[in-house]
Amino acid sequence: MPTTAPTAHALSDVTASDGSLRRFLHGLPGVDAVGLEARAASLGTRSIKTTAKAYAIDLAISMVDLTTLEGADTPGKVRALGAKAVHPDPTDRSAPATAAVCVYPDLVGVAKEAIAAAGGAGKVKVASVATAFPAGRAPLEVKLADVRAAVAAGADEVDMVIDRGAFLAGRYLKVYDEVRAVKEACGTSARLKVIFETGELSTYDNIRRASWLGMLAGADFIKTSTGKVAVNATPANTLLMLEAVRDFRAATGVQVGVKPAGGIRTSKDAVKFLVLVNETAGEGWLDPHWFRFGASSLLNDLLMQRQKLATGRYSGPDYVTVD
Amino acid sequence: MSDKTVKTERLSVFKTYKLYIGGKFPRSESGRVYEVSDSTGNWLANAPQASRKDARDAVVAARKAFGGWSGATAYNRGQVLYRVAEMLEGRREQFVNEVAAAEGLSKAKAAAVVDATVDRWVWYAGWTDKIVQVVGGANPVAGPFFNLSTPEPTGVVAVVAPQESSFLGLVSVVAPVIATGNTAVVVASEKAPLPALSLAEVLATSDVPGGVVNVLSGRTAQIAAPLAAHQDVNAIDLAGADEALAKELEIAAADNLKRVLRPQPVDDWFATPGIDRMTAFLETKTVWHTTGALGAAGSSY
Amino acid sequence: MTIEKRSSAFEYAPAPESRAIVDIAPSYGLFIDGEFTEAVEGKVFKTVSPSTEEVLSEVARAGQADVDRAVKAARKAFGTWSALPGSERAKYLFRIARLIQERSRELAVLETLDNGKPIRETRDTDLPLVAAHFFYYAGWADKLEYAGFGPDPRPLGVAGQVIPWNFPLLMLAWKVAPALAAGNTVVLKPAETTPLSALFFADICRQAGLPKGVVNILPGYGDAGAALVAHPDVDKVAFTGSTAVGKQIARTVAGTKKKLTLELGGKGANIVFDDAPLDQAVEGIVNGIFFNQGQVCCAGSRLLVQESVHDELLDALKRRLSTLRLGDPLDKNTDIGAINSAEQLARITALAEQGEAEGAERWSPECELPESGYWFAPTVFTNVTQAHTIAREEIFGPVLSVLTFRTPDEAVAKANNTPYGLSAGIWTEKGSRILAVANKLRAGVVWSNTFNKFDPTSPFGGYKESGFGREGGRHGLEAYLDVR
């Protein structure tokens, strides 16, 4: 697999100054909202065949970052989640594990243990949101401390939020520097997912600029949203980010992953997102290493669909586990 | 030498009537003229007999003028057409005489014709900046689009002017063509071309850019045929063509799919014209623009 | 450039729409005066599925005597139909619109079978627009005095309508709906390769209880069309098809009182500026020329791209074309269906070969063509100039000619440098440029940052040799009213 280390590439010089970064980001092709949404909708009408559907559902399960991000999270809740991530379907051990569990930094340790206890160590990653998630409104040193704590507790992946205030104020270099600093804090052991909170960036032009900004700063993944605002992952904003990683790899040779998060609840939706991946970025991204779903309730729907495909009967909520 | 001079009436100065092409007054390229008489057969003047080449030159001039005239603001075109009315009003007596002679009318009736003709220019002057609003508009399409239909001039229009109503009828077919931004090549009434040729002098002195109206006199069938077949003419008004000629011209016009306005029976040129003569030479352009949402914002913490 | 190969594990269905939903009879008659009837001369012709060459049905072929019968029936019906209160005519049209919606899946499958176009298009574009068109004009039937054509607009009489094979049912709707709303009766001749949806429409008229003779359908060839437009008792002629035939019709009706509207060919320019939203422009280019296999009069068959973004755009376009799925039109995942007929395929093939012979560079994505049926791979020609045949002649197939320009002036000059004037596209993020360029284009429909969008409220039709008159919207009523 290609590495994603922020090495020197064709675009290294665009981050030399605030001005050059701004010129670069504003020089990216604009996005026509109507055309983008029409394309996303049109890809949503693809239908995939039954054998491919089984593959798609297993692939989707293996791409889930099983997430709990509540103020009321407890070790008990996280332990249950860790066990479920390793063996999502208690009645069918052939069900693939999810890609990761995603928790707050203080629960990383608990998650690690739970996964290990269920036999998923090394297989199911632990991702931790950090940098004063979800608002990101804290001094840089606090954010970095947040990251370091998560990494120290064993997080394999860090999901940071960008400073949307700085971005919307046009202070792109500040956002860039912050992502760089967090990347550095992740060291070599943790992959960095950069959350844009697309609902707050609001325009597609902003989402494209943020995508390139994040990738230039060394993001291993670009991620739509926190799940905490009104508009989270949509087919259109995910399609746009897939175009960005596709174009970034063409320009630099560096491959970056994409993670839509929030709002994806059904298997049907998940398959539509996989179609977007397939037809936009291509098969190189159809892998949990490069594409994730940030979700919680999605997993149960995927499992019910999986049971339906295996048995021919429709399943029900009593046959999957409550979280 | 005798001291006595013979007292005679002053010899009047005849006018040499000329074609009007591209803002200039050339003689016919053919060098030919034909006799024009009044309704009782008295010779009035010689009129130039335009050739195919004159017709071609007129089309070239009209095409050249089209960009500027169609691109002028509607307000500007209205001002120019109103200026024509002003200039015409000032030469009222001349036209009363010419129309009386050409159409065999009493001075009083000819005066009524000239007055109505002046008023017609005023009427169309007022239309230039309203027709777009009347026949264009937004279309409520089902989707995230803004969709607007606007009328645009079709281009160079060949006008076979009415044979009988040599002045009011002429202006009634020419003014609507140019009010909307088209340019015109006019074939004047064959037997009564003089008011049309004199009108050209008015147009030349009233801010109408050269080439916007071109006036040809001569044998209607001979001039109209090359115009109907001309590939750079976009439309043709057959007002002054008889049934057989109209059919022949319409067939020729099909070669490049000219817009054809067939001869319409006109009982009364004094009546308010309506907008049909304008819309006959207007295209409808519909432009779709994407709109989309302002953005999908929303913070809930 | 590298093109991502599609994952073999992540295959799409064959997800065929069920053929069983449509019941095609082994033979059909002409529809005259409310009855299905054989042709007077007893002639028939076969209609085939272009994707398989399977014979779908045998259809009566109208001749001169049938045209006479149909016009007579339409004339007879005109008196009572035009005398109906507009509100009653409206309700018939609303009924028809609803019946089309109810039967839209059936009609979509039928249209796909007979025409060869993908079910995705018949299902998502053709049929919804057909129903919408009847809904739109239904509402006009009792409001004609507000349409801006005088206080008492009158119908013309019998309309003779000849339609093409590229959007069989949609073109029928464009013709029939405004004609009936205005109080005319119609005799319609569908194209010889796609007669079936019009015959199913006849059945819908029957279900709607439409009075006999108001709509008459005459499947047949060009001779029937010629007889129809020349018929002395036809008051209105409406034709959609080739410019050559359109000119012939214009000559035929010369010197008569017949009112004429023509929707003819095009060579639409799709202009991409360097500040275009590139990803959407690529989609628009694809939609512009590969929608309905490019068999669209308003297709964006000339891509005019600003030289400074030519390479970038072409790379993106080629990458995108590699994801197009060509094959069974009934498969819901199919993007590119079959060419409508062997004749059309031959024409496309010949013009493409000429493009190559004249030195343009030909490219197609890797694309397996089915063995039976009429197929043509999506094709892009680069290094094309204004002088190339493929930049001037309407190909009416999935063939894109790519030209470059340097300045907006040059783009406009090249776009307008054609005897046609139907459609154009503008791709730029600069609003003032959209307005300036749109203003200068000599084309009846201009799409900015989109392409091939249609709506019943939106007038459609061309400048210059693309025809005259407008279909759709308030403007579309004028063609069917005695406005002067």
Side-chain angles (χ1 to χ4, degrees):
Chain A
M1 283 178 185
T3 65
T4 57
T7 49
H9 52 62
L11 297 174
S12 317
D13 56 338
V14 305
T15 54
S17 71
D18 219 344
S20 62
L21 181 55
R22 180 184 182 79
R23 278 192 299 278
F24 175 78
L25 295 177
H26 284 255
L28 291 167
V31 183
D32 185 80
V34 172
L36 176 73
E37 287 170 7
R39 172 66 175 153
S42 138
L43 285 173
T45 69
R46 293 289 198 210
S47 71
I48 66 170
K49 65 173 162 186
T50 318
T51 50
K53 198 175 269 175
Y55 168 80
I57 284 175
D58 280 5
L59 182 63
I61 293 171
S62 75
M63 288 172 163
V64 168
D65 281 4
L66 192 59
T67 301
T68 185
L69 295 170
E70 293 164 16
D73 283 345
T74 58
K77 167 97 194 266
V78 171
R79 273 195 288 273
L81 209 65
K84 180 166 180 170
V86 178
H87 294 296
D89 187 340
T91 64
D92 182 358
R93 292 267 149 176
S94 75
T98 69
V101 294
C102 183
V103 295
Y104 273 112
D106 59 329
L107 291 163
V108 167
V110 179
K112 282 295 258 196
E113 284 164 22
I115 288 166
K123 197 164 65 173
V124 175
K125 313 281 189 207
V126 174
S128 177
V129 296
T131 68
F133 182 94
R137 297 250 67 86
L140 179 60
E141 49 271 33
V142 175
K143 295 182 186 179
L144 292 177
D146 203 13
V147 173
R148 287 190 198 106
V151 174
D156 305 294
E157 300 171 355
V158 169
D159 291 27
M160 73 169 287
V161 290
I162 65 161
D163 182 345
R164 282 87 76 190
F167 185 93
L168 291 170
R171 294 161 65 202
Y172 300 131
L173 201 61
K174 177 172 193 290
V175 181
Y176 173 83
D177 286 342
E178 208 168 283
V179 177
R180 288 301 300 260
V182 172
K183 174 74 179 171
E184 212 174 291
C186 288
T188 51
S189 59
R191 292 176 86 207
L192 174 64
K193 305 196 193 99
V194 178
I195 304 171
F196 301 135
E197 200 67 300
T198 51
E200 289 188 345
L201 297 188
S202 182
T203 71
Y204 292 122
D205 288 327
N206 276 345
I207 296 170
R208 171 166 285 172
R209 289 171 189 153
S211 298
W212 282 81
L213 175 62
M215 293 187 292
L216 287 168
D220 296 296
F221 261 90
I222 53 177
K223 176 175 169 184
T224 58
S225 31
T226 61
K228 302 292 187 190
V229 296
V231 179
N232 294 288
T234 64
N237 62 29
T238 305
L239 169 60
L240 180 55
M241 287 162 64
L242 286 162
E243 288 168 359
V245 298
R246 176 198 70 196
D247 295 344
F248 188 76
R249 195 178 78 165
T252 65
V254 177
Q255 184 160 345
V256 176
V258 176
K259 179 179 173 184
I264 306 165
R265 294 191 179 85
T266 66
S267 303
K268 203 173 165 185
D269 285 346
V271 171
K272 283 182 187 174
F273 277 82
L274 293 180
V275 168
L276 292 179
V277 176
N278 190 37
E279 296 219 17
T280 308
E283 104 170 304
W285 270 265
L286 278 176
D287 185 294
H289 196 72
W290 299 115
F291 194 77
R292 296 283 176 83
F293 292 107
S296 42
S297 62
L298 170 65
L299 181 58
N300 274 353
D301 195 69
L302 286 166
L303 293 170
M304 286 194 287
Q305 275 301 314
R306 195 173 185 279
Q307 290 168 5
K308 194 260 166 186
L309 282 176
T311 64
R313 301 186 303 259
Y314 288 104
S315 186
D318 286 351
Y319 299 88
V320 290
T321 55
V322 294
D323 303 320
Chain B
M1 293 271 292
S2 162
D3 288 332
K4 287 186 178 174
T5 52
V6 180
K7 189 135 181 164
T8 59
E9 275 193 32
R10 178 182 168 272
L11 193 62
S12 69
V13 178
F14 281 171
K15 179 157 117 189
T16 307
Y17 286 90
K18 293 186 181 177
L19 305 176
Y20 183 51
I21 298 175
K24 297 198 162 57
F25 292 91
R27 296 170 197 275
S28 167
E29 171 271 341
S30 69
R32 297 170 70 179
V33 294
Y34 70 110
E35 289 192 12
V36 178
S37 316
D38 68 13
S39 56
T40 55
N42 297 317
W43 182 85
L44 287 171
N46 293 327
Q49 192 172 321
S51 67
R52 299 174 65 88
K53 185 166 175 298
D54 292 318
R56 188 198 66 190
D57 291 347
V59 172
V60 171
R63 173 61 63 198
K64 200 172 156 202
F66 178 67
W69 184 244
S70 62
T73 63
Y75 177 60
N76 178 243
R77 283 201 302 272
Q79 298 268 296
V80 171
L81 263 61
Y82 188 77
R83 182 73 179 154
V84 175
E86 288 179 341
M87 292 288 106
L88 207 52
E89 184 84 32
R91 294 169 70 163
R92 184 170 179 275
E93 288 314 307
Q94 174 199 340
F95 281 98
V96 168
N97 289 332
E98 285 192 334
V99 168
E103 300 183 16
L105 301 177
S106 68
K107 283 286 163 68
K109 282 190 174 159
V113 167
V114 173
D115 290 347
T117 306
V118 173
D119 292 353
R120 187 121 311 161
W121 281 111
V122 174
W123 199 72
Y124 280 113
W127 263 117
T128 59
D129 52 5
K130 293 163 194 73
I131 188 72
V132 172
Q133 290 177 310
V134 169
V135 304
N139 307 304
V141 297
F145 302 98
F146 171 65
N147 175 299
L148 194 67
S149 288
T150 8
E152 288 188 348
T154 196
V156 174
V157 181
V159 177
V160 183
Q163 298 295 345
E164 302 303 326
S165 184
S166 65
F167 194 53
L168 177 56
L170 168 85
V171 169
S172 298
V173 299
V174 172
V177 167
I178 65 168
T180 53
N182 294 290
T183 56
V185 176
V186 182
V187 185
S189 165
E190 181 169 331
K191 71 173 183 19
L194 303 186
L197 296 171
S198 290
L199 177 69
E201 297 158 15
V202 172
L203 298 174
T205 54
S206 38
D207 307 334
V208 180
V212 170
V213 178
N214 305 274
V215 183
L216 305 172
S217 58
R219 304 296 172 219
T220 299
Q222 282 174 19
I223 310 168
L227 290 174
H230 201 299
Q231 295 288 99
D232 202 30
V233 172
N234 300 94
I236 187 163
D237 182 346
L238 300 175
D242 63 27
E243 202 176 314
L245 179 62
K247 181 172 181 179
E248 184 192 317
L249 296 176
E250 188 175 347
I251 290 172
D255 275 355
N256 70 332
L257 292 166
K258 287 179 187 66
R259 285 73 179 117
V260 175
L261 183 59
R262 294 181 182 138
Q264 314 283 319
V266 178
D267 303 328
D268 178 13
W269 284 107
F270 287 85
T272 306
I275 63 171
D276 299 345
R277 290 196 163 273
M278 285 185 287
T279 56
F281 304 114
L282 288 172
E283 304 289 337
T284 297
K285 178 186 280 176
T286 301
V287 185
W288 294 65
H289 301 271
T290 54
T291 52
L294 287 176
S299 178
S300 59
Y301 49 75
Chain C
M1 62 176 283
T2 54
I3 292 166
E4 282 290 337
K5 205 179 147 296
R6 223 175 3 255
S7 163
S8 49
F10 194 74
E11 265 180 63
Y12 297 130
E17 178 58 274
S18 166
R19 243 203 92 151
I21 192 165
V22 54
D23 186 11
I24 302 175
S27 69
Y28 285 94
L30 315 171
F31 185 69
I32 298 175
D33 206 15
E35 309 286 341
F36 281 100
T37 156
E38 285 177 20
V40 170
E41 293 174 37
K43 287 189 183 167
V44 295
F45 65 99
K46 292 180 167 58
T47 183
V48 303
S49 165
S51 61
T52 59
E53 299 176 58
E54 168 204 358
V55 173
L56 296 171
S57 187
E58 200 171 72
V59 179
R61 175 176 170 177
Q64 174 76 54
D66 304 303
V67 170
D68 288 341
R69 283 199 293 158
V71 172
K72 205 169 166 187
R75 172 61 59 195
K76 198 171 116 215
F78 175 65
T80 41
W81 178 249
S82 59
L84 271 186
S87 55
E88 295 301 298
R89 284 203 309 275
K91 285 191 285 181
Y92 280 114
L93 291 172
F94 280 124
R95 277 188 185 182
I96 289 171
R98 272 285 191 249
L99 286 164
I100 288 166
Q101 285 183 322
E102 277 176 4
R103 296 176 62 174
S104 68
R105 197 166 156 216
E106 172 195 5
L107 293 166
V109 172
L110 177 75
E111 195 83 311
T112 285
L113 282 169
D114 205 18
N115 170 280
K117 66 169 69 185
I119 187 76
R120 191 164 64 84
E121 292 180 11
T122 52
R123 179 195 64 195
D124 297 345
T125 304
D126 294 54
L127 264 298
L129 282 172
V130 170
H133 222 81
F134 277 98
F135 264 103
Y136 176 77
Y137 279 106
W140 268 123
D142 55 357
K143 301 167 190 69
L144 297 171
E145 63 269 36
Y146 301 101
F149 304 114
D152 183 28
R154 305 299 306 158
L156 295 164
V158 175
Q161 308 177 319
V162 178
I163 59 169
W165 43 259
N166 58 344
F167 296 90
L169 198 56
L170 183 57
M171 291 299 102
L172 175 148
W174 281 25
K175 298 275 182 290
V176 172
L180 298 194
N184 305 276
T185 55
V186 306
V187 179
L188 176 126
K189 189 198 88 70
E192 64 267 25
T193 60
T194 54
L196 293 181
S197 54
L199 293 163
F200 274 58
F201 177 77
D203 188 53
I204 285 173
C205 293
R206 186 189 57 74
Q207 287 185 333
L210 193 71
K212 287 177 177 185
V214 171
V215 168
N216 303 274
I217 309 278
L218 296 182
Y221 283 67
D223 59 325
L228 178 59
V229 303
H231 197 287
D233 205 27
V234 162
D235 303 290
K236 158 76 195 173
V237 171
F239 171 74
T240 297
S242 75
T243 288
V245 173
K247 289 178 181 178
Q248 193 46 52
I249 291 174
R251 290 181 198 108
T252 302
V253 305
T256 70
K257 301 262 181 251
K258 286 174 194 170
K259 195 164 176 173
L260 177 63
T261 42
L262 299 170
E263 299 285 0
L264 308 174
K267 193 72 191 176
N270 212 351
I271 308 170
V272 180
F273 289 97
D274 60 2
D275 63 349
L278 274 189
D279 287 298
Q280 287 74 52
V282 167
E283 292 307 315
I285 294 162
V286 170
N287 184 40
I289 186 60
F290 301 116
F291 174 61
N292 200 18
Q293 296 71 247
Q295 302 168 130
V296 184
C297 50
C298 54
S301 52
R302 287 184 297 154
L303 173 61
L304 289 175
V305 54
Q306 194 157 3
E307 219 168 307
S308 54
V309 287
H310 173 272
D311 294 352
E312 189 184 346
L313 183 73
L314 262 289
D315 282 354
L317 180 63
K318 288 177 176 176
R319 181 180 60 214
R320 173 70 176 86
L321 294 186
S322 304
T323 69
L324 285 177
R325 309 173 63 83
L326 176 147
D328 181 5
L330 279 177
D331 186 333
K332 291 176 237 172
N333 291 324
T334 292
D335 300 314
I336 307 279
I339 302 301
N340 181 252
S341 66
E343 191 188 357
Q344 186 58 24
L345 178 60
R347 178 180 160 76
I348 298 167
T349 307
L351 278 164
E353 279 166 5
Q354 194 168 346
E356 248 177 317
E358 290 176 11
E361 200 172 308
R362 181 174 182 164
W363 182 90
S364 286
E366 248 180 78
C367 180
E368 211 173 302
L369 301 181
E371 284 182 4
S372 63
Y374 318 125
W375 302 92
F376 199 87
T379 299
V380 176
F381 278 102
T382 48
N383 291 331
V384 180
T385 71
Q386 292 290 107
H388 282 89
T389 307
I390 51 171
R392 306 203 67 80
E393 280 196 31
E394 184 177 40
I395 299 173
F396 224 62
V399 181
L400 179 68
S401 298
V402 183
L403 298 88
T404 60
F405 67 87
R406 295 161 298 173
T407 63
D409 277 351
E410 189 179 350
V412 167
K414 285 183 169 175
N416 287 340
N417 181 215
T418 164
Y420 295 114
L422 188 50
S423 70
I426 306 169
W427 297 86
T428 170
E429 285 278 285
K430 194 176 170 85
S432 58
R433 178 145 58 217
I434 292 173
L435 299 176
V437 172
N439 193 38
K440 292 285 178 204
L441 289 171
R442 302 290 288 167
V445 187
V446 178
W447 289 289
S448 68
N449 294 321
T450 186
F451 211 93
N452 271 343
K453 292 286 179 290
F454 308 96
D455 192 276
T457 67
S458 178
F460 182 94
Y463 284 38
K464 303 195 279 185
E465 293 199 14
S466 290
F468 42 73
R470 292 293 177 268
E471 292 185 312
R474 182 192 69 81
H475 295 75
L477 282 171
E478 184 179 1
Y480 292 96
L481 290 171
D482 183 5
V483 298
R484 55 173 68 93

